[in-house]
Amino acid sequence: MREFYKVLIVDDEMLIRQGIINYIEWENEGYKIIGEASNGVEAMQLMETHHPHIIITDIVMPGMDGIELVKNVKDSYPETEIIVLSSFENFDYVKQTFQNGVADYILKPKLQTDELLQTLNRVTKSQKKTTQSKESQPSIEEILQKIIAGYQSIREMDYAREQLSKDTFILIESFWNKRTDQQLSHHIITNQLENRLSNAILRSVPFKENSALYLVNFSEMSINELKEAVYNSSKNISANQLKWVISNPFDSLEDLKTNYEITHKKIIQYHFYLPEVNFLFYDNLPESEIVNTEFDLNHMIYLFKRKQFQEAFIYLNKHIGLLSNQYNTDVFEFQSWLENIIFNIIVLLGNMNYGIEELEKEKYQYFQEINEAFNVREAISTFDQFLSKVEQKVLPENAEAMSNIQLLLDYIEENYDNHLTLSTLARHFHFNPSYLSSYFSKHHKEGFSDYLNYIRIKNAMQLLESTDKSISSISEAVGYSDPSYFTKVFKKVTNTSPSTYRKENKRQN
């Protein structure tokens, strides 16, 4: 039996991590890289899953740094040995880690193969290894996962080439909202897709709980056939909830990592901003609107300090509307921007002596929901909930809310006969549509659609009383393109049909 020590690499610099991973042929030396992390928080998550024997970690990292990581690991996993990487200027920090049980350290300038192996061998003398058969070969799925992560061995890459020998590769991923689709699984989707790709080699790459990633290797299959297979695979699965991505074809396994990290993740990002789109492929990506998305935080602060809250909300929602159509914006950047605005508003209100205790308690829940949002709509919905709470605190003192409602009502009165929707009204007044909907209902005690129907039917009643125009002409004159729908709405509002109303109420011009 061949035995391996499991090793976890932790450093906030990707080049350092990749350098360590590629210094030696780990499995030839008796070690196995089980993962990498960019900070202590990610490392602790991997600890729960993989229980490595050894951690090689940097000290200075964002979030949870190396000192805190050492304490947490030694508290929860005392049997795990830790090797600290240090530069000369932060060596004082290394001294602190020895008090918490660090096994050894390596100065980064001396990080060479021999030095690293000697240190590893020193700290593993008394550890129990994890066993793995010398004869056994990792599965092709495990090797593909390692290739994407960037720490496959030369032997594993050669084996993957033997197993996937066709001309062309392509990545397909299906993913779903884990909040609403608890019953979906990789197994269900894999069976559906395999049945439709019988002429290709399909390999699942296990990465995330609520998605299924596949590498497809083929020679004599067109992209249209792949698309057709994807369309058909989702016919009987969670209607309108399963999302699909096909990224660019490539012709070498060496390009798998680059294709996944650059092209594939970019398309996944597009899906965040397009909640209504279920199929998104590399050759049909929509164009982002080219607009100035610079946000002036100082201007928002100025409006708050002058208690011009409604103007501040309009400015905020206009910017959110712009960001929502910038598909190239990193999702994490968009989510962080929303969280930063929440943080700044709470601080501002506190400085202005508003009661913020409830908002302070709830802010981390808002942050969590924004971070876990499946799409832009969910993220903005959470942000709107926060703004609604802020409004309750600041707008009772402010008469401009009613003034703005009157502007909305006047605009509807003047434009009811056009193709008027919540979205067109929101664009005209620079509101976010979902925010405008809740704002309208809150301050007018009636929804936008109900009020628009009321105005249109009121004017239709006048035309029925005073003119001989046909029902269809009056329908069109007040903004309804479908006379039958107009009749249905008219009856709902007046409890009678347009023709009956005319007979009972017609008067001479």
Side-chain angles (χ1 to χ4, degrees), residues 380-407:
I380 292 175
S381 175
T382 299
F383 187 79
D384 287 345
Q385 292 172 29
F386 167 76
L387 278 191
S388 180
K389 287 283 184 72
V390 173
E391 276 190 333
Q392 293 171 17
K393 294 184 178 297
V394 302
L395 288 185
E397 308 181 354
N398 203 309
E400 69 176 309
M402 294 313 297
S403 173
N404 279 300
I405 275 293
Q406 192 57 52
L407 288 174

Side-chain angles (χ1 to χ4, degrees), residues 142-296:
E142 291 173 329
I143 292 174
L144 292 175
Q145 188 176 19
K146 291 171 77 172
I147 292 173
I148 291 176
Y151 53 87
Q152 82 287 349
S153 68
I154 295 172
R155 185 177 68 254
E156 287 169 339
M157 180 62 88
D158 290 340
Y159 177 74
R161 288 195 199 96
E162 292 174 7
Q163 298 299 307
L164 303 166
S165 57
K166 296 181 181 289
D167 300 328
T168 308
F169 299 88
I170 204 163
L171 282 169
I172 298 178
E173 185 167 2
S174 58
F175 55 100
W176 55 93
N177 191 341
K178 61 183 177 182
R179 297 179 184 176
T180 57
D181 291 287
Q182 299 293 339
Q183 303 305 314
L184 282 176
S185 70
H186 301 75
H187 177 70
I188 294 171
I189 300 166
T190 300
N191 285 345
Q192 292 283 334
L193 196 57
E194 277 182 342
N195 291 337
R196 308 193 181 270
L197 289 175
S198 55
N199 294 327
I201 302 173
L202 180 72
R203 291 290 178 265
S204 173
V205 187
F207 259 174
K208 294 175 286 186
E209 182 182 349
N210 59 317
S211 79
L213 176 66
Y214 306 97
L215 180 66
V216 184
N217 183 214
F218 59 96
S219 293
E220 298 176 358
M221 181 181 290
S222 69
I223 298 300
N224 286 335
E225 288 179 86
L226 279 170
K227 290 181 180 180
E228 191 67 26
V230 166
Y231 287 130
N232 291 328
S233 295
S234 60
K235 281 183 178 177
N236 300 318
I237 302 177
S238 188
N240 297 322
Q241 290 298 324
L242 191 62
K243 309 290 186 179
W244 288 91
V245 158
I246 295 180
S247 52
N248 302 54
F250 54 100
D251 54 15
S252 171
L253 271 177
E254 279 77 4
D255 296 329
L256 173 58
K257 177 179 171 63
T258 302
N259 186 276
Y260 177 80
E261 292 185 343
I262 298 177
T263 307
H264 191 76
K265 284 186 175 180
K266 176 185 175 183
I267 305 177
I268 295 289
Q269 179 172 290
Y270 271 73
H271 256 304
F272 179 83
Y273 293 104
L274 298 163
E276 301 299 329
V277 177
N278 293 87
F279 303 95
L280 199 57
F281 307 141
Y282 71 94
D283 54 352
N284 69 340
L285 300 181
E287 294 289 335
S288 295
E289 294 182 15
I290 302 176
V291 293
N292 179 15
T293 57
E294 184 177 350
F295 181 76
D296 189 345

Side-chain angles (χ1 to χ4, degrees), residues 1-4 27 32 130-134 136-138:
M1 297 287 286
R2 182 78 182 278
E3 297 181 336
F4 292 100
E27 293 183 12
K32 185 180 182 67
T130 183
T131 59
Q132 180 169 319
S133 170
K134 185 174 183 179
S136 69
Q137 173 73 40

